[in-house]
Amino acid sequence: MSTIEAREQMVEVHLARRGIRDPRLLQAFREVPREMFVRPALAEYAYEDAPLPIEEGQTISQPYVVAAMVAALDLRGSERVLEVGTGSGYAAAILSLLASEVITIERHAALADRARELLSRLGRTNVTVLVGDGTLGARTHGPYDAIVVAAAGPHVPEALLDQLGPGARIVVPVGATLEDQSLVRLTREGSSFRSDSLGGVRFVPWIGEQPDRTRVVPAGAESAVRALVRESAEPIASIDDDTLEPLLDRIGDARLVMLGGATCGSSEHQRMRTRITRALIERRSFDFVATDADWTEARRFDDRAMGHDGPRQTPPTRLPLWMWRNEETVALIEWLRARNLALDDPSRRARWYGLDRYCTFASVATMLDQIDAVDASVGHAARARYGLLTPWQRDPAAYDRAALGERYAREEHAIVATLCESLRLLSGADEDAIDASTLASAEHYYRAVYRGCAASWNLRGAQMFTTLEKLLEHHGPSSRAVVWLDGAQVGDARATELHARGAQSVGELARARYDRAAYLVGFGTDHGAVLAASEWDAPAERMSLRSGRAASYERLFHECGPSAFLLHLREPRRRAIRDELAVPRLQRAIGPVYRSDCERQSHYFQSVLPMQFDEYVWIDETRAITPLGA
Ligand code: SAM
């Protein structure tokens, strides 16, 4: 994709689709080349909707956040604007296309010099870059019609308020901690200010002189929501013994029940999924379980469940085996086997499938082996990149490590060719494992995974959904499936910030295709332990799970009290529960990798739970799953 196409895509996907409407503003984003404002080694990421590191330990802001802040200034073209925190100069360049004059202040002289040079190269003659403490404003150039502050503090700096002209507005991130920031707009009305809150954000802190006088504290009395949750929740007394009849009734004649764990290494989530799955097979005649495991790995389980003996001759896969080879999953396979063998009619045996025909996890392991053999430092870049297979994950170090790009790019061709070849060999060994269309698109897919493209998650999801549809077709028009994926894939991504980043989930595809016949169940947990790896390909270990963050669904449900419950969200008896929970909150997702050191960036995303799921399973405290042989 060319730079111009990437920029256009950013404007469409990350700005327009996310509610930025002003055509002048969108045009400004089309005109400013963001790649010039990021480090050359990071140019390939310039049009992702992400902040990126710049010199002096600072960041260039995320495009959507710049757009939302500038939109809140409501510029008409004739204004004099002050920006505090020039950083790279990118936002100043955008502002210069929308206002008549821009004054921008940066406390790091080196950043100011670089921004001045870039703005001049772009011919932006209406921008003045100053060096200094922006919390004091730039009185000699004021008063201003609009002020935007690109760094956060615990209050709105008083000096900036003084420099606002009549009717002028200031947009500023306010919050005592990084987790607690919200974007605030104050508009001068005579001698006072009207205040609007524009939602949660995360900015680097400003460092300045201003005393704390105009504190803005985000409000949030939660007790009414907690009371509603308590009233609507159906307690789970025992994972193994509850009848689950009310849940089965709600599922009704749905053709697909999708169960999404919030962490893939939590024992209670696996056991609860198992419990629901058994009930669906036993009492509602579901035909098969489809998981996000590699196809070949799942075949071994299916053989066992179907009563075949002797290991299947498929190449062994490696990472992360514990996700499937654990006591909790094996208990379900053994139950399936006993149940299947006791049936008089073999055609009624329930099957176990893996939906990932590209064998992504095994392929990533192969990629890492090959890259490590070439250069272990390049392997670091790769491990950071594969975080993009879990799109909520933002490893702060990933962009720095990705700077090892050149060496990495040179290996691409050979490694992708090896993976395509192994897939071709697999298709020969196991003719119904890999079909022609999977083979045909394999190269495209492996390239996306190798490069760590944001598109790789969508490609994997779309491919798993196609396989699921084929399985349903294979099992006949009245067949029914239980689907086990991670929570982000099960939930409807349109109800999360992942949608704005262009992600599309399997749950969303299922709703589009099956409407109410797809029943999406999410899972959540607050604290305890989890089995996970510290990075791709590292050995899994038992890690303690931090308690849910402020402003998250996890924190809310934890504070509700009951230790385990089901929460019906599709058509709850009390409709108010949907409305109250529809205020966006953070939600945690943990895949095979858990990074508790940067948990907020790596594992939390904004979501609207009652739009994302039809039902939610809450288990307050969980233990780590037990890998086989442990
Ligand atoms: N708008 C910038 C862009 O488009 O690249 C991003 C700004 S970055 C998130 C915040 C910047 O604010 C940093 O460059 C930091 O050095 C600067 N900063 C922090 N405190 C400041 C202060 N008191 N005065 C001026 N600049 C400050």
Side-chain angles (χ1 to χ4, degrees):
M1 192 187 302
S2 74
T3 309
I4 303 218
E5 285 166 345
R7 202 179 303 150
E8 185 57 44
Q9 182 174 312
M10 173 194 81
V11 169
E12 175 54 33
V13 174
H14 300 311
L15 308 185
R17 265 195 230 163
R18 220 171 146 186
I20 304 293
R21 300 266 176 268
D22 179 355
R24 286 179 67 239
L25 183 51
L26 295 175
Q27 187 53 29
F29 277 88
R30 281 191 190 99
E31 285 178 32
V32 179
R34 191 168 184 255
E35 70 277 11
M36 279 177 66
F37 292 85
V38 305
R39 292 184 193 158
L42 299 183
E44 64 171 303
Y45 300 106
Y47 293 104
E48 282 186 9
D49 190 35
L52 293 171
I54 56 174
E55 280 63 32
E56 308 291 346
Q58 302 300 319
T59 54
I60 174 173
S61 307
Q62 178 185 349
Y64 173 75
V65 170
V66 175
M69 291 181 87
V70 176
L73 295 177
D74 196 18
L75 300 173
R76 301 295 153 94
S78 58
E79 295 84 354
R80 182 183 304 143
V81 179
L82 173 68
E83 183 199 26
V84 175
T86 314
S88 68
Y90 177 69
I94 298 280
L95 286 166
S96 75
L97 292 166
L98 300 163
S100 80
E101 192 184 353
V102 178
I103 313 296
T104 177
I105 315 185
E106 171 57 53
R107 55 188 283 274
H108 290 290
L111 289 179
D113 290 347
R114 168 103 182 109
R116 199 178 289 118
E117 184 210 318
L118 283 172
L119 290 160
S120 133
R121 256 205 269 159
L122 288 173
R124 306 314 311 153
T125 51
N126 58 342
V127 187
T128 305
V129 183
L130 306 174
V131 178
D133 178 359
T135 63
L136 302 172
R139 215 170 275 280
T140 48
H141 294 262
Y144 300 96
D145 303 299
I147 299 180
V148 60
V149 183
H155 61 280
V156 182
E158 192 85 358
L160 297 181
L161 294 176
D162 289 346
Q163 290 167 45
L164 284 173
R169 51 246 165 238
I170 178 169
V171 172
V172 51
V174 176
T177 66
L178 216 55
E179 277 69 46
D180 243 6
Q181 294 172 13
S182 55
L183 201 58
V184 172
R185 175 174 56 193
L186 299 178
T187 308
R188 182 181 277 285
E189 288 180 344
S191 57
S192 62
F193 292 90
R194 191 181 68 240
S195 164
D196 307 292
S197 176
L198 308 176
V201 278
R202 267 173 77 82
F203 273 86
V204 291
W206 48 253
I207 298 163
E209 295 292 322
Q210 271 295 301
D212 181 358
R213 300 237 307 269
T214 327
R215 196 173 269 283
V216 180
V217 182
E222 296 261 276
S223 54
V225 192
R226 286 199 295 266
L228 255 176
V229 172
R230 275 194 292 272
E231 200 187 305
S232 310
E234 284 170 19
I236 302 170
S238 149
I239 292 180
D240 298 318
D241 299 330
D242 273 15
T243 74
L244 298 178
E245 270 311 315
L247 171 65
L248 298 190
D249 287 347
R250 291 194 285 275
I251 287 171
D253 54 9
R255 195 163 177 206
L256 284 180
V257 173
M258 303 183 65
L259 307 174
T263 71
C264 57
S266 291
S267 174
E268 284 75 3
H269 287 190
Q270 290 276 47
R271 282 172 47 219
M272 191 64 192
R273 288 209 290 197
T274 293
R275 183 82 192 87
I276 298 172
T277 303
R278 283 176 55 167
L280 290 169
I281 292 173
E282 238 169 354
R283 291 185 256 154
R284 296 295 190 272
S285 304
F286 273 60
D287 299 280
F288 62 93
V289 185
T291 71
D292 53 6
D294 289 356
W295 175 276
T296 49
E297 175 68 13
R299 299 279 288 190
R300 298 157 183 264
F301 284 89
D302 186 49
D303 281 350
R304 178 87 197 147
M306 291 293 283
H308 304 318
D309 285 312
R312 179 177 285 268
Q313 293 308 306
T314 49
T317 55
R318 217 175 74 208
L319 179 111
L321 280 188
W322 54 266
M323 279 173 65
W324 302 109
R325 294 199 192 155
N326 55 64
E327 286 179 3
E328 289 79 356
T329 307
V330 166
L332 175 57
I333 299 293
E334 291 305 318
W335 173 83
L336 268 178
R337 180 181 169 90
R339 182 242 177 217
N340 281 343
L341 289 176
L343 289 172
D344 294 333
D345 176 3
S347 71
R348 288 185 46 231
R349 289 181 182 171
R351 306 283 308 260
W352 177 273
Y353 296 106
L355 293 175
D356 188 349
R357 289 181 182 241
Y358 290 114
C359 304
T360 304
F361 287 133
S363 305
V364 165
T366 308
M367 286 182 197
L368 290 171
D369 277 350
Q370 298 208 5
I371 296 163
D372 283 343
V374 175
D375 181 341
S377 63
V378 181
H380 274 303
R383 286 168 174 81
R385 281 163 183 260
Y386 298 143
L388 287 164
L389 275 170
T390 46
W392 60 84
Q393 193 160 334
R394 276 168 195 268
D395 177 346
Y399 293 109
D400 280 339
R401 295 190 197 148
L404 292 156
E406 222 178 272
R407 186 71 193 267
Y408 194 79
R410 250 185 282 144
E411 302 305 324
E412 176 176 327
H413 183 74
I415 291 177
V416 166
T418 311
L419 291 169
C420 291
E421 188 49 31
S422 340
L423 200 63
R424 228 166 267 127
L425 287 176
L426 263 184
S427 78
D430 185 3
E431 69 289 351
D432 62 354
I434 317 291
D435 57 13
S437 67
T438 306
L439 275 181
S441 46
E443 183 174 337
H444 177 57
Y445 179 69
Y446 289 137
R447 275 191 197 290
V449 174
Y450 182 80
R451 291 179 187 173
C453 292
S456 53
W457 195 70
N458 282 0
L459 287 171
R460 180 162 185 257
Q463 179 258 149
M464 290 197 292
F465 185 66
T466 306
T467 306
L468 177 61
E469 294 232 81
K470 284 186 186 155
L471 288 170
L472 285 166
E473 204 181 302
H474 170 76
H475 281 266
S478 57
S479 59
R480 309 177 82 186
V482 192
V483 183
W484 287 28
L485 305 173
D486 67 64
Q489 280 287 19
V490 162
D492 188 332
R494 287 169 299 182
T496 73
E497 67 169 273
L498 306 179
H499 176 66
R501 298 200 216 137
Q504 198 175 38
S505 62
V506 177
E508 175 183 349
L509 296 171
R511 270 192 180 160
R513 168 79 177 79
Y514 296 98
D515 196 19
R516 289 171 63 85
Y519 199 80
L520 314 185
V521 184
F523 286 64
T525 194
D526 179 70
H527 63 277
V530 65
L531 196 75
S534 56
E535 68 172 358
W536 280 87
D537 209 23
E541 46 187 307
R542 192 184 161 282
M543 299 186 193
S544 50
L545 185 62
R546 295 173 66 162
S547 276
R549 296 193 89 85
S552 67
Y553 284 107
E554 285 78 11
R555 171 70 64 88
L556 170 71
F557 293 137
H558 173 65
E559 288 179 343
C560 285
S563 60
F565 57 82
L566 289 172
L567 192 61
H568 177 42
L569 297 170
R570 186 187 270 186
E571 279 162 352
R573 208 168 26 83
R574 289 206 55 187
R575 170 95 209 160
I577 185 83
R578 265 185 75 89
D579 300 338
E580 289 296 340
L581 291 179
V583 177
R585 288 171 198 261
L586 293 173
Q587 178 183 144
R588 180 165 57 192
I590 301 174
V593 173
Y594 181 42
R595 297 283 310 271
S596 60
D597 55 328
C598 51
E599 203 196 29
R600 168 65 180 89
Q601 298 96 314
S602 290
H603 298 290
Y604 278 92
F605 55 89
Q606 288 278 351
S607 63
V608 178
L609 204 73
M611 288 164 68
Q612 196 187 0
F613 297 114
D614 298 305
E615 183 97 22
Y616 196 64
V617 178
W618 177 253
I619 299 175
D620 197 54
E621 180 174 2
T622 49
R623 285 163 304 150
I625 54 168
T626 316
L628 287 188

